[in-house]
Amino acid sequence: MAADHLVLLATLATEHFKEGLSKVELARRHGVSRFQVARLLDEALETGIVRITIVDPTDPGPQFSGLHEALGINSVTVVPQRATELMRPALARHAATLLPHRLHEGGRLGVAWSRTLMHLPDYLSDLPQVDVVQLVGALSAPGTSTAASSALIHSVGAAAGGEVWPLPTPLIMDTAESAAALRGVAEVSAALKAADDLDVAVVAIGAWGPGTSTFWGRLNAEEQAQAQKGGVVSECSGILMDADGEIALSGMEDRVIGVRPEQLRRAHVVAVAAAVDHPEAVIAAARAGFVDDLVVPTELAARLSESL
């Protein structure tokens, strides 16, 4: 093959694949037809001048290649720490890239609030049109408010373009009686019922302790101690689990307004976890059936590998 022809192939490939020029622009620039440009670009691919690398966001790399099997789940996305990006937004960004591949047009997406998932709307793109269901009542955390919790569902709903079922209640009420009364309100009842038919749910896994679960901070000291005594190590959408993945009956579940365990298990669950010191929380959630695709930082992936 003549040297000048190779140079032309490399030039066209560079201008198209790296600089973003269209085939029409290339044809005009080089005095050839658009069809000739297409043929030459195909030739550049066939001869190896252009090599395309596809990066699967769910491929954790060789170090963690068996982690999803050890956990008994579909995939693990390992998110490396970048100097220019905080970890929680990074986890949300990777979770967002999974959703278009897990959802279908006309489907139903459930969304739980967390300090990580509050960043989810910043990265949503190419979603099919789906309905969106709020999985848990509003919750506040240090540095946020219940307004941020409520705003998440509407931001995701705007990106998804379908019907939205908000859950205009707190996550946990003071008494089981007040929680039952709120569940009887038509709008609340409709949102809770809508979670029966979830296709995909995106949730966060928290360890059971201060700073690792926003739910923990809503309980008094006696209730916190009661949960720990009951063996709670993990929390997901207001659902408490022990180390074996069994639902922990702490006496507080009747006060929680949110998705039920059986509803969450029927969905394909994309779960994020940020508490790097608590692999036991992720293992418990996986054993409970609340994880299909897991998104974790590298340090947590390493600790999961050690624990398993």
Side-chain angles (χ1 to χ4, degrees):
M1 189 178 295
D4 57 347
H5 185 69
L6 291 173
V7 170
L8 177 60
L9 293 181
T11 300
L12 290 171
T14 299
E15 293 174 344
H16 180 63
F17 292 106
K18 296 187 71 174
E19 298 176 13
L21 294 181
S22 70
K23 294 174 183 177
V24 172
E25 291 171 319
L26 291 176
R28 187 181 302 117
R29 174 177 289 190
H30 294 279
V32 296
S33 71
R34 180 168 57 88
F35 301 103
Q36 286 176 302
V37 169
R39 179 179 58 79
L40 290 167
L41 289 173
D42 286 342
E43 187 178 349
L45 284 164
E46 292 167 2
T47 58
I49 290 173
V50 173
R51 300 175 185 177
I52 296 177
T53 300
I54 298 173
V55 178
D56 181 351
T58 68
D59 182 359
Q63 181 183 357
F64 304 114
S65 59
L67 187 52
H68 70 289
E69 293 178 349
L71 286 166
I73 63 175
N74 182 65
S75 75
V76 177
T77 299
V78 179
V79 181
Q81 181 68 63
R82 294 180 179 177
T84 58
E85 187 176 32
L86 296 175
M87 182 49 64
R88 290 188 187 277
L91 294 173
R93 176 169 58 84
H94 281 267
T97 65
L98 294 175
L99 294 181
H101 304 288
R102 303 295 185 256
L103 290 163
H104 60 83
E105 194 81 16
R108 185 170 294 182
L109 170 65
V111 180
W113 185 86
S114 77
R115 289 167 293 175
T116 297
L117 295 179
M118 65 183 289
H119 301 284
L120 193 65
D122 297 335
Y123 305 105
L124 290 176
S125 62
D126 301 322
L127 281 180
Q129 183 170 320
V130 296
D131 297 337
V132 179
V133 181
Q134 184 173 344
L135 295 182
V136 292
L139 189 66
S140 61
T144 69
S145 67
T146 54
S149 176
S150 301
L152 173 63
I153 192 70
H154 295 289
S155 297
V156 175
E163 187 174 354
V164 177
W165 279 278
L167 196 53
T169 71
L171 170 62
I172 184 168
M173 300 297 294
D174 291 335
T175 66
E177 292 74 18
S178 59
L182 273 179
R183 291 191 197 100
V185 175
E187 188 175 3
V188 176
S189 176
L192 295 174
K193 177 66 176 174
D196 281 340
D197 300 312
L198 298 174
D199 294 293
V200 177
V202 57
V203 303
I205 300 166
W208 190 241
T212 60
S213 169
T214 49
F215 188 25
W216 165 277
R218 296 300 300 270
L219 308 181
N220 61 42
E222 181 180 348
E223 292 168 332
Q224 292 166 353
Q226 178 183 346
Q228 285 186 308
K229 186 177 179 179
V232 175
V233 301
S234 181
E235 179 266 324
C236 178
S237 301
I239 302 168
L240 304 183
M241 296 151 279
D242 66 18
D244 295 322
E246 297 295 329
I247 304 302
L249 300 179
S250 63
M252 294 171 282
E253 52 277 352
D254 290 340
R255 293 162 48 198
V256 172
I257 300 179
V259 64
R260 300 190 307 275
E262 63 271 21
Q263 292 174 312
L264 199 54
R265 290 190 182 110
R266 286 197 292 266
H268 184 102
V269 182
V270 177
V272 300
V276 297
D277 294 326
H278 295 281
E280 75 283 355
V282 175
I283 294 170
R287 288 173 175 170
F290 298 150
V291 184
D292 291 293
D293 295 312
L294 177 65
V295 182
V296 292
T298 302
E299 187 176 349
L300 180 51
R303 292 186 179 228
L304 283 167
S305 296
E306 293 169 1
S307 299
L308 294 166

